[in-house]
Amino acid sequence: CAQGTPATGKSQSAVLVARELDIPYVNIDAASMPDFHTAASQLLGSGRGIVMSHMPGRLEQVAKHHAGCVVEISDLDHALPQVRAPLADLFLQMLETGEAQSATGAMFSCANLILFFTMNLPDGVDEQVRRGLGFGRGPSPQEVQERVIKEIKRLLSGAFLSRVGRPIVFDPLGRDSLARILERAVLGAARAAARRLGLDPERITSLPGLGAGLLNHLQGNVVSFGARVILEQGRSLAAEAFCRHLPTLENNRDGAWRLALDMEGSLVFEQCQKE
């Protein structure tokens, strides 16, 4: 169970676990399910009706067709109350017995699935659990985790959390981390564009500290939204700069270029001097 404010790397961690284990990754968005009937049909399949009309659910398909799989259940805490409680009970059964029951009544093993619950607390509670009292220091990491545990127990039940274990709390990303993410996004997007045009992407580098400089020129509300918005902003800035400098880049295909900032804080391509 991974808890934290949006865009702090919870889902990306699930993807990295799957990549490290060399197994598939599947996402189930609990918040998008309008009622438990829909949720049960999607996860466990449709019930018997017309002959040969049964369709297996996503959990059954994943469990039966893969030797192992990371299944991320995202935003279970944001699901509607009439969906959240039955879903929590379903996953509690899977964690308890290692099995689930399909819509046809047959049991299937889920022992080859790694369940990865990612959540952020609704109604501004994410910020509240990290807020101190008065003008004193903020809560310690241990205090934040205890507050998170209390909230998850209230939303999903203590029995559910006892099977999952103590949640991994993802702290909001600091400016240094966001600056590195922004710099990698800009450089990655510029190199991808160069590759599509037949240019050597390795000839494009970035000025040290480029991410920090760009971050200082972004609006504060953009920075506060975390890594996801920063990534999109960086890719957009790289695309704009690449389009502006495209004629120059194409006329000097063998040149080496460095991403930097001009006096106005705009992203530019500087030609590197030959040694």
Side-chain angles (χ1 to χ4, degrees):
C1 178
Q3 188 280 331
T5 54
T8 51
K10 302 183 296 296
S11 294
Q12 186 63 26
S13 296
V15 172
L16 291 174
V17 168
R19 188 180 303 169
E20 181 69 20
L21 297 175
D22 195 24
I23 58 178
Y25 159 83
V26 172
N27 174 263
I28 294 174
D29 182 10
S32 67
M33 300 176 181
D35 54 69
F36 183 66
H37 176 74
T38 302
S41 297
Q42 289 184 16
L43 300 181
L44 302 175
S46 57
R48 285 193 174 97
I50 302 173
V51 176
M52 302 297 291
S53 66
H54 170 66
M55 294 293 293
R58 294 183 67 192
L59 285 177
E60 185 177 2
Q61 291 177 358
V62 170
K64 288 184 175 181
H65 293 101
H66 297 291
C69 185
V70 171
V71 180
E72 179 192 1
I73 299 95
S74 56
D75 292 334
L76 183 57
D77 53 307
H78 280 67
L80 296 173
Q82 63 268 29
V83 177
R84 183 171 61 228
L87 275 183
D89 290 341
L90 166 63
F91 292 119
L92 178 59
Q93 175 198 350
M94 292 174 58
L95 294 167
E96 182 92 16
T97 66
E99 295 181 316
Q101 186 175 28
S102 72
T104 62
M107 302 297 294
F108 61 92
S109 174
C110 301
N112 57 332
L113 304 183
I114 298 175
L115 301 183
F116 208 115
F117 298 93
T118 58
M119 59 184 68
N120 49 284
L121 304 174
D123 302 325
V125 178
D126 265 333
E127 288 75 21
Q128 294 176 19
V129 298
R130 291 167 172 79
R131 192 175 299 154
L133 296 176
F135 296 98
R137 64 171 182 83
S140 67
Q142 179 67 24
E143 289 172 327
V144 171
Q145 188 178 61
E146 293 301 327
R147 294 178 183 181
V148 168
I149 289 173
K150 181 179 178 181
E151 291 298 324
I152 294 177
K153 283 182 178 179
R154 184 179 64 83
L155 284 168
L156 301 176
S157 82
F160 174 85
L161 195 56
S162 69
R163 303 305 189 279
V164 177
R166 297 181 72 85
I168 302 169
V169 177
F170 282 61
D171 292 326
L173 297 176
R175 290 188 66 87
D176 288 345
S177 297
L178 293 173
R180 289 196 294 271
I181 290 171
L182 181 57
E183 186 168 329
R184 290 184 64 178
V186 167
L187 183 58
R191 286 179 169 176
R195 191 178 297 109
R196 292 190 184 98
L197 292 174
L199 304 176
D200 184 358
E202 298 304 319
R203 290 183 175 273
I204 300 177
T205 58
S206 60
L207 186 72
L210 175 68
L214 280 173
L215 202 62
N216 290 331
H217 287 85
L218 295 181
Q219 296 179 357
N221 61 341
V222 171
V223 175
S224 66
F225 284 131
R228 192 172 294 114
V229 174
I230 291 293
L231 280 170
E232 295 304 320
Q233 190 77 13
R235 291 163 183 160
S236 176
L237 291 172
E240 292 173 2
F242 199 91
C243 289
R244 288 198 307 271
H245 293 83
L246 182 57
T248 306
L249 293 169
E250 287 190 316
N251 290 334
N252 192 352
R253 287 178 168 268
D254 295 328
W257 302 88
R258 181 174 62 184
L259 289 165
L261 296 178
D262 62 14
M263 297 297 293
E264 287 75 32
S266 298
L267 189 65
V268 296
F269 283 83
E270 292 181 346
Q271 188 166 8
C272 299
Q273 299 295 326
K274 294 183 179 179
E275 296 181 358

